[in-house]
Coordinates of all heavy atoms in Angstrom, one line a residue:
Chain A
L50 N 188.0 69.6 234.8 CA 188.1 70.4 233.6 C 187.2 69.6 232.6 O 187.5 68.5 232.2 CB 189.5 70.6 233.1 CG 189.8 71.6 232.0 CD1 189.4 72.9 232.4 CD2 191.3 71.6 231.6
G51 N 186.2 70.4 232.0 CA 185.4 69.7 231.1 C 184.4 70.6 230.3 O 184.3 71.7 230.7
R52 N 183.6 69.9 229.6 CA 182.5 70.6 228.8 C 181.3 69.7 228.9 O 181.4 68.5 229.0 CB 182.9 70.6 227.3 CG 182.2 71.6 226.4 CD 182.4 71.2 225.0 NE 181.2 71.7 224.4 CZ 180.0 71.0 224.3 NH1 179.9 69.9 224.9 NH2 178.9 71.5 223.7
I53 N 180.2 70.3 229.0 CA 178.9 69.5 229.3 C 177.8 70.0 228.4 O 177.7 71.2 228.0 CB 178.6 69.8 230.8 CG1 177.7 68.7 231.4 CG2 178.0 71.1 231.1 CD1 177.6 68.6 232.8
D54 N 177.0 69.1 227.9 CA 175.7 69.4 227.4 C 174.7 68.4 227.7 O 175.0 67.3 228.0 CB 175.7 69.7 225.7 CG 176.3 68.5 225.1 OD1 175.5 67.5 225.0 OD2 177.3 68.7 224.4
A55 N 173.3 68.8 227.5 CA 172.3 67.9 227.8 C 171.0 68.3 227.2 O 170.8 69.5 226.7 CB 172.1 67.9 229.4
V56 N 170.1 67.3 227.1 CA 168.7 67.6 226.7 C 167.8 66.9 227.7 O 168.3 65.9 228.4 CB 168.4 67.2 225.2 CG1 169.1 68.1 224.2 CG2 168.7 65.7 225.0
G57 N 166.5 67.1 227.7 CA 165.6 66.4 228.6 C 164.4 67.3 228.9 O 163.9 68.1 228.1
A58 N 163.9 67.1 230.1 CA 162.7 67.8 230.6 C 162.8 68.0 232.1 O 163.5 67.2 232.8 CB 161.4 67.1 230.2
V59 N 162.3 69.1 232.5 CA 162.3 69.4 234.1 C 160.9 69.5 234.6 O 160.0 69.9 233.8 CB 163.2 70.6 234.4 CG1 164.6 70.4 233.9 CG2 162.6 71.8 233.8
Q60 N 160.7 69.3 235.9 CA 159.4 69.5 236.5 C 159.3 70.9 237.0 O 158.1 71.4 237.0 CB 159.3 68.5 237.7 CG 159.5 67.1 237.3 CD 159.4 66.2 238.5 OE1 158.4 66.2 239.3 NE2 160.4 65.3 238.6
K61 N 160.3 71.6 237.2 CA 160.2 73.0 237.4 C 161.7 73.5 237.3 O 162.7 72.7 237.4 CB 159.7 73.4 238.8 CG 160.5 73.0 239.9 CD 159.9 73.6 241.2 CE 160.8 73.3 242.5 NZ 160.4 74.0 243.7
A62 N 161.9 74.8 237.0 CA 163.3 75.3 236.8 C 163.5 76.5 237.7 O 162.6 77.3 238.0 CB 163.4 75.9 235.4
R63 N 164.7 76.5 238.3 CA 165.2 77.7 239.0 C 166.5 78.2 238.4 O 167.4 77.6 238.2 CB 165.5 77.3 240.5 CG 165.8 78.5 241.3 CD 165.7 78.4 242.9 NE 166.4 79.3 243.6 CZ 167.6 79.3 244.1 NH1 168.4 78.3 243.7 NH2 168.2 80.3 244.6
L64 N 166.3 79.5 237.9 CA 167.3 80.0 237.1 C 167.9 81.3 237.7 O 167.3 81.8 238.6 CB 166.8 80.3 235.7 CG 166.1 79.2 234.9 CD1 165.6 79.7 233.6 CD2 167.1 78.1 234.7
A65 N 168.9 81.8 237.1 CA 169.4 83.1 237.5 C 169.7 84.1 236.3 O 170.1 83.5 235.2 CB 170.6 83.0 238.5
Y66 N 169.6 85.3 236.5 CA 169.9 86.3 235.5 C 170.9 87.2 236.3 O 170.7 87.6 237.4 CB 168.7 87.1 235.2 CG 168.9 88.4 234.5 CD1 169.2 88.5 233.1 CD2 169.0 89.7 235.1 CE1 169.4 89.6 232.4 CE2 169.2 90.8 234.4 CZ 169.4 90.8 233.1 OH 169.7 92.0 232.4
Y67 N 172.1 87.5 235.6 CA 173.0 88.3 236.3 C 172.8 89.8 236.1 O 172.6 90.2 234.9 CB 174.3 88.0 235.8 CG 175.5 88.6 236.7 CD1 175.7 88.2 237.9 CD2 176.3 89.7 236.2 CE1 176.7 88.8 238.8 CE2 177.2 90.3 237.0 CZ 177.4 89.8 238.3 OH 178.4 90.4 239.1
D68 N 172.4 90.5 237.1 CA 172.2 92.0 237.1 C 173.6 92.7 236.9 O 174.3 92.8 237.9 CB 171.5 92.4 238.3 CG 171.2 93.9 238.4 OD1 171.9 94.6 237.8 OD2 170.3 94.2 239.1
Q69 N 173.9 93.0 235.7 CA 175.2 93.5 235.4 C 175.6 94.9 236.1 O 176.7 95.2 236.4 CB 175.4 93.7 233.9 CG 175.2 92.3 233.1 CD 175.4 92.5 231.6 OE1 175.8 93.5 231.0 NE2 175.0 91.4 230.9
E70 N 174.4 95.7 236.3 CA 174.6 97.0 237.0 C 174.9 96.8 238.4 O 175.9 97.4 239.0 CB 173.3 97.8 236.7 CG 173.6 99.1 236.2 CD 172.2 99.7 235.6 OE1 171.5 99.1 234.8 OE2 171.9 100.8 236.0
N71 N 174.2 96.0 239.0 CA 174.3 95.8 240.5 C 175.2 94.6 240.9 O 175.4 94.4 242.1 CB 172.9 95.7 241.2 CG 172.1 96.9 241.0 OD1 172.5 98.0 241.5 ND2 171.0 96.8 240.2
K72 N 175.8 94.0 239.8 CA 176.7 92.9 240.1 C 176.2 91.8 241.0 O 176.9 91.5 242.0 CB 178.1 93.5 240.5 CG 178.7 94.4 239.4 CD 180.1 94.7 239.8 CE 180.7 95.7 238.7 NZ 182.0 96.2 239.0
T73 N 174.9 91.4 240.8 CA 174.4 90.3 241.6 C 173.5 89.4 240.8 O 172.9 89.9 239.8 CB 173.8 91.0 242.8 OG1 173.2 89.9 243.6 CG2 172.5 91.9 242.4
Y74 N 173.4 88.2 241.2 CA 172.4 87.3 240.5 C 171.0 87.5 241.0 O 170.8 87.7 242.2 CB 172.8 85.8 240.7 CG 173.9 85.3 239.8 CD1 175.2 85.1 240.2 CD2 173.7 85.0 238.4 CE1 176.2 84.6 239.4 CE2 174.6 84.6 237.6 CZ 175.8 84.4 238.0 OH 176.8 83.9 237.1
R75 N 170.1 87.5 240.1 CA 168.7 87.6 240.4 C 168.0 86.2 240.2 O 168.0 85.8 239.0 CB 167.9 88.6 239.6 CG 168.5 90.0 239.6 CD 168.2 90.8 240.9 NE 168.8 92.1 240.9 CZ 169.0 92.8 241.9 NH1 168.7 92.2 243.2 NH2 169.5 94.0 241.9
F76 N 167.6 85.5 241.2 CA 167.1 84.1 241.0 C 165.6 84.2 240.8 O 164.9 85.0 241.3 CB 167.5 83.3 242.2 CG 168.9 83.1 242.4 CD1 169.8 83.9 243.0 CD2 169.5 81.9 241.8 CE1 171.1 83.7 243.2 CE2 170.8 81.7 242.0 CZ 171.7 82.6 242.6
F77 N 165.1 83.3 240.0 CA 163.7 83.1 239.8 C 163.3 81.7 239.4 O 164.1 80.9 239.0 CB 163.2 84.1 238.6 CG 163.8 83.9 237.4 CD1 163.2 83.2 236.4 CD2 165.1 84.4 237.0 CE1 163.8 83.0 235.1 CE2 165.7 84.3 235.9 CZ 165.1 83.6 234.9
T78 N 162.1 81.3 239.7 CA 161.6 80.0 239.5 C 160.6 80.0 238.4 O 159.6 80.9 238.4 CB 161.1 79.5 240.9 OG1 162.1 79.4 241.8 CG2 160.6 78.0 240.7
I79 N 160.5 79.0 237.5 CA 159.5 78.8 236.6 C 158.8 77.5 237.1 O 159.3 76.4 236.8 CB 160.0 78.7 235.2 CG1 160.8 79.9 234.8 CG2 158.7 78.5 234.2 CD1 161.4 80.0 233.4
N80 N 157.6 77.7 237.7 CA 157.0 76.5 238.4 C 156.0 75.8 237.4 O 154.8 75.6 237.6 CB 156.2 77.0 239.5 CG 156.2 76.0 240.6 OD1 156.5 74.8 240.3 ND2 156.0 76.4 241.8

Side-chain angles (χ1 to χ4, degrees):
Chain A
L50 191 60
R52 200 202 148 277
I53 197 163
D54 60 64
V56 292
V59 299
Q60 300 177 53
K61 66 172 186 173
R63 186 162 164 268
L64 308 180
Y66 167 84
Y67 193 68
D68 179 335
Q69 298 177 15
E70 232 164 307
N71 295 297
K72 296 185 181 176
T73 183
Y74 277 109
R75 307 285 179 198
F76 292 86
F77 58 97
T78 298
I79 305 178
N80 216 337

